[in-house]
């Protein structure tokens, strides 16, 4: 291989790996168990796991049908709809949080009606965390499932339809099993993205311990008062990220 390509490749690899190695080197390994058992750490971890899981369930309920419409539906402006779906991927998360406030806040377009009619207020609540995480994570699921639907062999669905199966039965018994790997991959990516969400969460839901303070927010707060605690929390998130990559290696990264 030419050195003119190898040299910058090595520098690029070091640029990506060294910061992660820094976490491992500076981690307080002797007190790691004690720090992980601290109430505020367990509280933030528990809240992160619960909200990320709930956000993923919401994304599954809404994102799978949306992916099916984009992949199979003959609707006008489908390209525009697909572009709108992917906007949260490139939108700064803080801007997403501001947008959620303007729509779902107490004085928002829909939030005012929700508060006056049902007494529901989402900002600065645990439910607000779930909404913020679902907003930024759903595109990962939709893109994955849409790709799986486009790659699925339509002949199986057509055969089931000719045998008298209803559209719902074809979807649940044939289509979903065919795209199950794509749905699983999208759900894992969606969950990981929700777990690591910061900007939209702190903007829309705030940073209240026990109620809206997830792991990324706890890392940010600990960095100002207890850097070692921030390192421990960061290592937990790093371990989750590595586990996600390992579980998706056959679909998203090379296996060789």
């Amino acid at each position: 291989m030419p050195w003119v390509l190898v040299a910058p490749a090595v520098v690029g690899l070091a640029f990506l790996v060294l910061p992660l190695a820094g976490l491992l080197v500076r981690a307080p390994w002797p007190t790691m168990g004690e720090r992980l058992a601290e109430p505020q750490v367990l509280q933030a971890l528990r809240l992160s796991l619960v909200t990320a899981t709930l956000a993923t369930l919401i994304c599954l309920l809404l994102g799978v049908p949306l992916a099916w419409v984009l992949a199979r539906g003959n609707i006008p402006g489908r390209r525009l709809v697909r572009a709108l779906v992917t906007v949260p991927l490139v939108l700064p998360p803080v801007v997403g949080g501001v947008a959620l406030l303007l729509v779902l806040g107490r004085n928002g377009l829909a939030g005012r009606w929700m508060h006056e009619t049902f007494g529901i207020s989402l900002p600065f609540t645990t439910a607000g965390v779930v909404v913020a995480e679902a907003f930024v994570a759903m595109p990962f699921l939709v893109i994955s499932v849409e790709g799986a639907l486009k790659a699925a062999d339509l002949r199986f669905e057509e055969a089931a339809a000719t045998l008298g199966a209803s559209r719902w039965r074809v979807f649940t018994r044939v289509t979903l099993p065919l795209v199950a790997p794509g749905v699983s991959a999208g759900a894992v990516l969606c969950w990981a993205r929700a777990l690591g969400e910061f900007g939209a969460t702190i903007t829309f839901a705030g940073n209240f311990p026990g109620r809206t303070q997830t792991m990324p927010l706890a890392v940010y707060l600990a960095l100002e008062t207890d850097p070692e605690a921030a390192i421990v929390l960061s290592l937990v998130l790093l371990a989750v990220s590595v586990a996600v990559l390992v579980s998706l290696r056959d679909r998203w990264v090379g296996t060789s």
Side-chain angles (χ1 to χ4, degrees):
M1 292 183 291
W3 66 268
V4 71
L5 296 179
V6 173
V10 172
V11 173
L13 179 62
F15 175 74
L16 296 174
V17 172
L18 286 179
L20 304 180
L23 283 175
L24 298 175
V25 172
R26 296 293 301 274
W29 296 108
T31 60
M32 181 69 71
E34 298 176 5
R35 289 188 172 275
L36 287 176
E38 291 179 356
Q40 61 270 25
V41 174
L42 294 176
Q43 196 175 55
L45 179 58
R46 187 182 305 110
L47 182 64
S48 294
L49 295 176
V50 171
T51 55
T53 302
L54 291 176
T56 303
L57 292 176
I58 292 175
C59 292
L60 284 170
L61 290 174
L62 303 179
V64 172
L66 178 57
W68 187 91
V69 169
L70 291 175
R72 303 286 178 81
N74 187 16
I75 59 173
R78 183 166 57 178
R79 292 184 178 179
L80 176 60
V81 175
R82 183 180 292 109
L84 293 175
V85 169
T86 56
V87 164
L89 288 176
V90 296
L91 190 71
V94 174
V95 177
V98 173
L100 288 172
L101 275 176
L102 295 178
V103 174
L104 299 176
R106 285 195 177 184
N107 295 318
L109 299 177
R112 181 193 295 271
W113 173 79
M114 292 171 58
H115 181 64
E116 294 177 351
T117 306
F118 303 104
I120 297 175
S121 180
L122 291 176
F124 310 108
T125 63
T126 303
V129 175
V130 176
V131 171
E133 291 178 348
F135 175 78
V136 300
M138 188 180 294
F140 290 89
L141 177 72
V142 174
I143 291 174
S144 179
V145 177
E146 183 188 1
L149 284 167
K150 288 182 176 180
D153 194 340
L154 291 176
R155 291 177 296 179
F156 295 102
E157 299 176 41
E158 294 170 353
T162 57
L163 293 174
S166 64
R167 292 184 178 181
W168 177 248
R169 190 175 182 85
V170 171
F171 178 74
T172 56
R173 296 297 183 88
V174 180
T175 306
L176 281 181
L178 283 175
V179 301
V183 175
S184 300
V188 172
L189 281 174
C190 179
W191 183 82
R193 180 63 185 89
L195 188 69
E197 168 52 31
F198 175 84
T201 301
I202 196 171
T203 306
F204 183 63
N207 186 14
F208 301 101
R211 189 169 64 182
T212 66
Q213 188 181 90
T214 56
M215 289 286 285
L217 274 62
V219 172
Y220 176 77
L221 184 64
L223 192 60
E224 300 179 350
T225 58
D226 189 356
E228 288 191 350
I231 294 174
V232 171
L233 294 170
S234 299
L235 283 175
V236 174
L237 293 176
L238 176 60
V240 172
S241 301
V242 172
V244 169
L245 287 177
V246 171
S247 66
L248 297 178
R249 64 186 184 277
D250 292 334
R251 296 188 61 85
W252 293 89
V253 297
T255 56
S256 59

